[in-house]
Amino acid sequence: MTGADQRTPLLDPQAQQQLLAHATGDGPTFRQTLANAGLAEPKRSGLRVLQLNLGKLCNMSCSHCHVDAGPHQGHSQMADAVVDACIAAMERLQPEVVDLTGGAPELHPRFRDLVRAARRQNCHVIDRCNLTVLLLPALADLAAFLAEHQVEIVASLPQPDAQSTDEQRGDGTWEASLRALRRLNQLGYGQGDPNLQLSLMSNPAGTSLQQLTPCDELAWKRRLKELAEVSFDRLIGLNNMPIARFLEQLQRDGHLNCYVALLQRAFNPAALSGLMCRDTLSVAADGRLFDCDFNQMLELPLGNQALAESSRPSIPPTIETITRDQLRERGIHWGNHCFGCTAGQGSSCAGATA
């Protein structure tokens, strides 16, 4: 149920930044693209989603993973002190949504503590689940726990067929994913109950853009029902981001510049308004703060304070100190990877943005 576990170390974030900086060739950078179109750089609109990356430990090693997650990443898990700071921040920041991601966030020993704390604050909780983790013997009661606490599950499933899924995520993933989905359906997920939402997250194969339509969702629902008696509520999509494993694959194959050029040509100004970096705070396992999970992987820190304050020296906030006021109207840290979120119909952890 996993991809290859033995992997050479990835390029460090600074080297990845350099590759992306030069990937546009003679073309404009992301910030230049905004300027050329007469568009102001978007700022934060206030906090809605507190996204916690609990570490890179995962029972899978998917080829498209932008966080380099896998069974070898046990050392990367969020420390107890940071977990406690995140729980305190839920009360201080009052987000609408607490979004738990990884790796496989469920493998963190305090995953359930975070779920309970968020629900006590009346936050909607999202678990970004690879599905196969629900089948681990040590987590046999996990699906029932998620249902008890009305946690929305956003589950990874690249395509509604075995070949594409197994090629991207490892042999046997398709069948294991169906087994997990059936278990969730038995608990009431995917049946239209707003308290037990089951969304599927699709990544396109290779260098294609994600272009899902309502017709695609209907086709997926029909196919999964016919193939496996499986149902779900919503289909969302995410462009493959040129970061980490996918970036190195593009570089090895000589496709990096072509893929970035594809994203550039597909730049859609309408996708800017729904960018997740505008209302999401991404928290790393060590407590550092970022505009989004992608910036976190590239170690591009939280954007600058509002222009009126930017001339004053300040200590970068952490999850222990950040306030809602410090986030409002704050700048965002942009890079060429941002073309991935603004291409075509737009791309975010919540699906299309345009």
Side-chain angles (χ1 to χ4, degrees):
M1 292 191 301
T2 68
D5 291 339
Q6 302 299 320
R7 295 180 181 273
T8 56
L10 287 177
L11 291 172
D12 62 50
Q14 289 70 35
Q16 293 184 52
Q17 289 179 37
Q18 286 297 312
L19 279 177
L20 287 165
H22 294 99
T24 56
D26 295 331
T29 65
F30 182 78
R31 296 183 77 169
Q32 290 169 343
T33 297
L34 293 178
N36 293 345
L39 298 168
E41 294 183 11
K43 293 188 183 302
R44 286 183 163 272
S45 56
L47 178 66
R48 188 180 68 87
V49 180
L50 181 64
Q51 186 174 67
L52 310 180
N53 191 312
L54 304 188
K56 301 177 183 179
L57 179 63
C58 189
N59 61 311
M60 305 185 73
S61 298
C62 302
S63 63
H64 67 292
C65 182
H66 72 273
V67 303
D68 190 30
H72 63 295
Q73 291 281 22
H75 63 281
S76 70
Q77 295 296 79
M78 182 178 281
D80 277 343
V82 181
V83 172
D84 291 337
C86 290
I87 290 173
M90 293 177 196
E91 183 174 1
R92 184 175 72 254
L93 298 176
Q94 291 291 299
E96 294 177 26
V97 178
V98 172
D99 187 336
L100 302 176
T101 186
E106 306 90 345
L107 294 179
H108 195 285
R110 296 192 63 190
F111 172 81
R112 300 186 195 210
D113 291 345
L114 288 162
V115 170
R116 294 187 186 102
R119 296 298 290 140
R120 283 197 298 270
Q121 296 298 326
N122 293 317
C123 298
H124 179 72
V125 180
I126 295 174
D127 173 27
R128 298 199 176 270
C129 182
N130 68 25
L131 289 176
T132 66
V133 74
L134 300 176
L135 304 180
L136 297 178
L139 299 178
D141 64 337
L142 176 61
F145 171 85
L146 296 171
E148 177 189 354
H149 292 276
Q150 300 180 342
V151 174
E152 178 182 357
I153 295 175
V154 177
S156 301
L157 194 69
Q159 296 295 324
D161 67 79
Q163 182 175 346
S164 298
T165 298
D166 286 0
E167 284 178 356
Q168 191 176 102
R169 307 188 65 209
D171 292 343
T173 299
W174 169 254
E175 289 299 331
S177 297
L178 294 182
R179 285 171 55 202
L181 287 169
R182 290 190 196 100
R183 181 174 298 182
L184 292 172
N185 284 171
Q186 290 166 2
L187 290 165
Y189 277 102
Q191 312 296 326
D193 184 344
N195 294 317
L196 294 174
Q197 296 181 55
L198 174 58
S199 301
L200 298 186
M201 170 72 82
S202 167
N203 288 81
T207 56
S208 300
L209 291 184
Q210 187 62 275
Q211 299 290 349
L212 296 174
T213 69
C215 291
D216 290 312
E217 180 173 290
L218 290 173
W220 275 59
K221 286 183 174 180
R222 184 168 57 248
R223 179 167 176 78
L224 288 176
K225 195 69 175 176
E226 292 172 352
L227 283 177
E229 281 297 312
V230 162
S231 60
F232 65 95
D233 295 308
R234 187 171 63 119
L235 177 65
I236 56 181
L238 192 70
N239 287 330
N240 288 323
M241 294 297 291
I243 296 174
R245 288 183 195 149
F246 188 55
L247 172 65
E248 293 202 352
Q249 179 184 325
L250 291 169
Q251 178 73 354
R252 283 196 307 270
D253 296 343
H255 294 160
L256 177 58
N257 288 19
C258 293
Y259 185 63
V260 173
L262 170 68
L263 297 178
Q264 282 180 301
R265 290 194 300 272
F267 173 72
N268 181 1
L272 293 171
S273 62
L275 289 175
M276 58 186 172
C277 52
R278 302 192 66 183
D279 65 3
T280 298
L281 180 63
S282 174
V283 185
D286 60 5
R288 289 181 298 156
L289 305 179
F290 300 84
D291 293 305
C292 69
D293 201 45
F294 306 128
N295 280 7
Q296 183 183 144
M297 296 309 120
L298 291 171
E299 296 194 355
L300 298 172
L302 193 67
N304 292 329
Q305 290 171 284
L307 212 53
E309 304 173 23
S310 61
S311 59
R312 305 179 206 161
S314 61
I315 299 172
T318 67
I319 191 57
E320 292 181 321
T321 62
I322 192 72
T323 66
R324 288 186 71 94
D325 287 344
Q326 286 176 307
L327 290 170
R328 195 173 289 110
E329 290 298 306
R330 195 181 189 100
I332 296 168
H333 205 142
W334 306 106
N336 286 339
H337 61 293
C338 300
F339 282 118
C341 289
T342 53
Q345 62 189 28
S347 180
S348 79
C349 288
T353 63

